[in-house]
Amino acid sequence: MIGGLFIYNHKGEVLISRVYRDDIGRNAVDAFRVNVIHARQQVRSPVTNIARTSFFHVKRSNIWLAAVTKQNVNAAMVFEFLYKMCDVMAAYFGKISEENIKNNFVLIYELLDEILDFGYPQNSETGALKTFITQQGIKSQHQTKEEQSQITSQVTGQIGWRREGIKYRRNELFLDVLESVNLLMSPQGQVLSAHVSGRVVMKSYLSGMPECKFGMNDKIVIEKQGKGTADETSKRRPSAPAHSGKQSIAIDDCTFHQCVRLSKFDSERSISFIPPDGEFELMRYRTTKDIILPFRVIPLVREVGRTKLEVKVVIKSNFKPSLLAQKIEVRIPTPLNTSGVQVICMKGKAKYKASENAIVWKIKRMAGMKESQISAEIELLPTNDKKKWARPPISMNFEVPFAPSGLKVRYLKVFEPKLNYSDHDVIKWVRYIGRSGIYETRC
Amino acid sequence: MTVGKDVSALFPDVVNCMQTDNLELKKLVYLYLMNYAKSQPDMAIMAVNTFVKDCEDPNPLIRALAVRTMGCIRVDKITEYLCEPLRKCLKDEDPYVRKTAAVCVAKLHDINAQLVEDQGFLDTLKDLISDSNPMVVANAVAALSEIAESHPSSNLLDLNPQSINKLLTALNECTEWGQIFILDCLANYTPKDDREAQSICERVTPRLSHANSAVVLSAVKVLMKFMEMLSKDLDYYGTLLKKLAPPLVTLLSAEPELQYVALRNINLIVQKRPEILKHEMKVFFVKYNDPIYVKLEKLDIMIRLASQANIAQVLAELKEYATEVDVDFVRKAVRAIGRCAIKVEQSAERCVSTLLDLIQTKVNYVVQEAIVVIKDIFRKYPNKYESVIATLCENLDSLDEPEARAAMIWIVGEYAERIDNADELLESFLEGFHDESTQVQLQLLTAIVKLFLKKPTETQELVQQVLSLATQDSDNPDLRDRGYIYWRLLSTDPVAAKEVVLAEKPLISEETDLIEPTLLDELICYIGTLASVYHKPPSAFVEGGRGVVHKSLPPRTASSESTESPETAPAGAPSGEQPDVIPTQGDLLGDLLNLDLGPPVSGPPLATTSVQMGAVDLLGGGLDSLMGDEPEGIGGPNFVAPPAAAVPANLGASMGSGLSDLFDLTSGVGTLSGSYVVPKAVWLPAMKAKGLEISGTFTRQVGSISMDLQLTNKALQVMTDFAIQFNRNSFGLAPAAPLQVHAPLSPNQTVEISLPLNTVGSVMKMEPLNNLQVAVKNNIDVFYFSTLYPLHILFVEDGKMDRQMFLATWKDIPNENEAQFQIRDCPLNAEAVSSRLQGSNIFTVAKRNVEAQDMLYQSLKLTNGIWVLAELRIQPGNPSFTLSLKCRAPEVSQHVYQAYETILKN
């Protein structure tokens, strides 16, 4: 299991060091600094073995988190734990920075003591942790016995992510469907790979221990229902099956927050859960079929002699004209020996950024089914470097108000048998945001 | 926290603060104690009282905190006081305290294992597995697994269907981390049959949708392991295969570090079960922004998944990658193109043209890498793409890496007859002979000899030059030896030399870097862990006894017997694309003689052989005969060049010339001296046979088995009319000639007879297998006795399997036929072992050195045509060897093992 955990700043100075196991000596701290942080070469692996000691590291801005072990630990678990540790710290004091860590070191030690026991990760849900690790400091005498046992039963309980007795005057919930579209396209416009990775984020302000059921236009569910209740629906709403059948999407794979009953999903494909209070990520999913690609990039690069390049890029938006895409940014890479660039664009602003070796073209808004174009002349310095320019792909960023996978939320039902509010009383909000992931076109 | 200052001097003052009500302060004091108690053990005692008191505190958080901290203070005196509070806490009413106490048992065990056992904590811990709280169960499982690891023999985690059921129930309810502990523990369980395996799999599959990648990977591990037990005909097997792919692909959208872990594991999974991800090639395409470690791993997997169906796409991608910036990545991409050519025959042509395009870029390292892989392509498809040689030769000057130079030299030597200026090219390399690396020197030597054999007239000078450079001016023993071998070959018999040096080479294998099957199976058991990231067994990087237990996949048990027969249970890939493990580096050396195969035996020392080392007239009359068209017309020892791997059996005939002395070294003395002979034992005591005493043994010499008998007449009467008969036996052993005792045996006289045997008699399976019932008749009576013959007399001389065959067969034999044995107290090293075994017709097919262990892969064949494959694992310095035997008739394994024991220990 994890033998120790170190946090370093960018210079390699130790900010936090917590050793859980006897086999990790003090020199381990230095070994990592010397061999990884101060190494001249780029990091070649997130797992490093130095003198039979293995180091797992992740980096958050300038901060290095390293877990150390001498055993054959579950490597995936260690990384998951390090990410979780970052999440927990962020939930307590915001951004992970050297200053924040120094200001909260007592808290961090307290957290490390709680969520890692002898190197075994324990309950690390912030919701539960915040009930008994606070920044104010709890005086044990102030707690009643009930409060104490409530804390412990929550930390160890089956529903470790939610405490009892939450009350809201207004029961409200927000669902965000956040998707990122990833694309790799050949210069000829052939899709080399495309997938959507999406997340459903829920913000819930619900009283009591509500039982929720979430439904979306998952192909498997809809086909199953279409078969099972065909007669029924056809009587009531004759158009329904045909309509839903067309709009359903095939989900390649999905993963759920730990509150979702996985066995139920496996057997009935229904998503039921008792949500944590506040914001959490209900599910992640991935689709590869029938993706709506919001933009098409058509590049044209022509080398004119040895010292000049002509670049022309056309972007076409491919969605309903009534919708607006925002924050559009096209990044056209330029060779390292670029000496000057002249840009002409019809819409938005374009600038050559020498430090990034790219022309950055920004458009604030763009409606669907439109087209825009940029052309640039790139002057090159003559070099005798034999190596050809690698031509990195043109990448794009944007935000659109729909889900490129076609996912639709069909329902989210809330049942709370003990309290007297019903599904109808809950105010529900749903929002779809599609963003660009790695959206690249080779040129 | 202390900015590196030692604050242990404050110990008494800090301890005074312990009894505070402020929880936060208490935690800090405890933290201080954990760090400094060791340096101040006496003072630490002062804290004990507070600890004990805190363990009784009404607040469960404080009770747990106290017990958690106490376990971390590694001071012997304190541990004694820990026992009582710990015992109470293990039975605490609050689950939070119980789950902390469970981990504390593991801590205590780490400090003082004996104490934990004496105090009966292990039993309490086992009880906690049935606890009502899932988190307590998870922590108890984690603690027990860790303790069990340091006691490999003990049956601590007594897993049975009931306890498994409990764990599976807890699995649905506990935290993500707890699920990992439980799944990792489940993976160690071996279900009793395929039904149980299937029901566990069914309950584990929902975990594949968990958001935590570690839960997913651990679930994959359980499934991969238990799948081994399921019959492939089962519908469920197919369903499971389909279910595995999506979660594995999803892992690739995780953070890069986790992607890396996932990719390393997918690499293993793809080798074990290529069918799972065969349609998912696209997700392994490299993204421009991937960190380099992710890129390199993806590339590896792309090659493994490359097939005829997707090769066009793969090649287009690889070509794209070859223009990237990172040198390592580009090299690997170029190499990947070559591997695709070797793997997918249909694509070879396109790969070659892609490589040629890349050579045109003139980027130095791309060119060099391309040449190295083109050499491999030549080896795979001889006489097909030689037209490109001209292009390669243009780039001769830019090669500065040894591997590329060696590859280029090999190409020039191999195709010397088609390259007009081959002699000039090689001569140019020869100028700086001593500055080259060994690899290049060896290659140059061989290439020039090849050139000479192809164009003897023009290159005589060149060959003399290189031979004298290699033998006289070099300190490198490999180079010198190779030089001498060529020298002698050429001087004794140039025709033989031609046959040896220009022998047809075996085609190289499709895959060169697959993990060997036994290691792969072991690593599959470690999916998700560091071992799977390093692709090394834990013993290679974990110190001490922990985790060194070798894990293996469960054998396929069958309630449905159809899976038993070897025909219906082909392991892994279809035989058409049976991958091969032998590394290609072998062909640099291997094209000479497959030198590495023969064991260096303590034969006649080199110095005594009658070779004229200094002979300058190197070629003598040989040159003429070399030029002659009719090689049959040459006198002298008619030496047959060893084709590829077969070792000549009739070496005795060609003894006497220095040349064959030399080869005798590599083929082992065993063939001459025959198999190991067990000392004679008394089979029939005189008491039982009216005065006739028979003792004897079995021998095997030059292909024939005989029974050496010693008959003693201890009676007072002359014995005559001897005859012998065997009962039917397992291998059909029968006398090949009647028992011939020429003269009557007078009292107190002894006669020694060698009775030749054959194996064409009638067969009946005996128990034990090697039991032989014999009847001996003389003028007095008929006597019966039975004896056990050592199995190695049945090992035939042509029991050497070809490497490729070996691999294919090894994979083909189902895992349940594998038997493992320990050979203890054998002081020999790998070379000695292999030579000794070869004497008894157990042939070493290949030898590898893995993790400082020598692995000998051996084959033997029994007279009735049964092949037995063996893997012998030898750790230098450890007199115990591990012998794994695989055979289609598993009942012989035990006896083969005994044969090994007898041969090695005598």
Side-chain angles (χ1 to χ4, degrees), chain A residues 1 15 18 21-23 26 41-49 51-60 69-77 79-81 83-84 105-106 109-110 113-114 117-118 120-125 132-141 143 145 148-149 151-153 155-158 184 191-193 195 197 252-258 262-263 265-266 284 286 386-388 390 392-393 438 440 442, chain B residues 1 21-24 27-28 31 34 38 58-62 65 68 74 94-96 99-100 103 106-107 110 133-135 139 142-143 146 172-177 180-181 184 202 205-214 217-218 243 246-247 249-250 253 255-258 260-261 282 285-289 292-293 313 317 320-321 323-326 328 361-363 365 526 528-531 533-534 538-543 546:
Chain A
M1 284 308 112
L15 303 177
R18 176 76 165 88
R21 298 251 170 169
D22 209 33
D23 52 4
R26 296 220 159 233
Q41 240 199 338
Q42 192 191 355
V43 177
R44 296 310 253 197
S45 158
V47 186
T48 326
N49 193 332
R52 293 206 153 214
T53 310
S54 300
F55 295 82
F56 300 78
H57 72 264
V58 298
K59 223 181 148 187
R60 287 288 181 271
T69 183
K70 282 206 165 180
Q71 296 172 25
N72 181 29
V73 296
N74 190 321
M77 186 186 80
F79 280 123
E80 282 284 2
F81 176 78
Y83 301 142
K84 195 74 184 195
F105 82 95
V106 174
Y109 275 112
E110 212 175 322
D113 199 35
E114 187 57 44
D117 189 5
F118 200 41
Y120 290 107
Q122 304 291 311
N123 193 340
S124 48
E125 285 301 312
F132 68 105
I133 296 180
T134 60
Q135 280 150 300
Q136 287 84 43
I138 317 174
K139 297 245 161 57
S140 59
Q141 72 223 41
Q143 287 174 310
K145 213 171 170 200
Q148 289 163 3
S149 66
I151 289 172
T152 56
S153 77
V155 173
T156 59
Q158 294 185 18
L184 184 62
V191 176
L192 295 174
S193 76
H195 74 272
S197 54
D252 286 24
D253 188 38
C254 45
T255 59
F256 296 100
H257 185 265
Q258 57 168 324
L262 293 178
S263 40
F265 178 74
D266 197 55
R284 275 176 189 235
R286 185 168 50 82
K386 266 193 209 160
K387 219 179 114 182
K388 258 175 58 188
I438 295 164
E440 293 177 338
R442 289 188 179 148
Chain B
M1 188 176 0
D21 284 337
N22 186 322
L23 197 55
E24 202 169 333
K27 283 181 182 172
L28 282 173
L31 187 63
M34 278 187 254
K38 233 176 160 184
N59 187 342
L61 290 174
I62 295 190
L65 181 65
R68 184 164 68 208
R74 305 175 64 95
D94 196 296
Y96 183 74
K99 71 124 187 159
T100 315
V103 177
K107 292 180 190 167
D110 194 39
N133 186 295
M135 198 152 166
N139 275 4
E146 176 164 347
N172 287 324
E173 292 163 354
C174 61
T175 62
E176 44 193 335
W177 314 115
I180 300 171
F181 305 151
D184 283 351
E202 278 166 1
T205 30
R207 297 300 122 199
L208 294 176
S209 317
H210 202 285
N212 188 314
S213 315
L217 269 178
S218 291
K243 277 194 174 166
V249 174
T250 301
S253 41
E255 288 84 347
E257 291 88 2
L258 267 175
Y260 174 73
V261 173
K282 274 191 177 178
F285 284 179
V286 171
K287 297 195 186 104
Y288 189 74
N289 292 327
I292 181 70
Y293 48 83
Q313 263 182 333
E317 280 293 308
E320 196 77 36
Y321 303 160
T323 58
E324 282 245 23
V325 233
D326 191 284
D328 283 351
T361 63
K362 303 277 177 197
V363 179
Y365 52 86
Y526 287 115
T529 67
L530 262 183
V533 174
Y534 293 146
S539 51
F541 59 90
V542 175
E543 267 168 16
R546 266 196 183 145

Side-chain angles (χ1 to χ4, degrees), chain A residues 66-130:
Chain A
V68 197
T69 183
K70 282 206 165 180
Q71 296 172 25
N72 181 29
V73 296
N74 190 321
M77 186 186 80
V78 176
F79 280 123
E80 282 284 2
F81 176 78
L82 288 175
Y83 301 142
K84 195 74 184 195
M85 181 70 208
C86 295
D87 291 349
V88 171
M89 288 197 289
Y92 267 96
F93 52 77
K95 194 173 165 273
I96 298 173
S97 64
E98 185 172 348
E99 200 189 346
N100 276 345
I101 288 175
K102 280 182 174 166
N103 290 340
N104 289 288
F105 82 95
V106 174
L107 173 74
I108 295 176
Y109 275 112
E110 212 175 322
L111 284 171
L112 282 175
D113 199 35
E114 187 57 44
I115 59 179
L116 211 54
D117 189 5
F118 200 41
Y120 290 107
Q122 304 291 311
N123 193 340
S124 48
E125 285 301 312
T126 26
L129 288 172
K130 277 190 171 169

Side-chain angles (χ1 to χ4, degrees), chain A residues 327-344:
Chain A
K327 299 179 192 166
I328 301 152
E329 185 186 292
V330 182
R331 186 171 285 266
I332 304 160
T334 54
L336 294 173
N337 54 340
T338 303
S339 61
V341 176
Q342 274 117 42
V343 208
I344 311 158

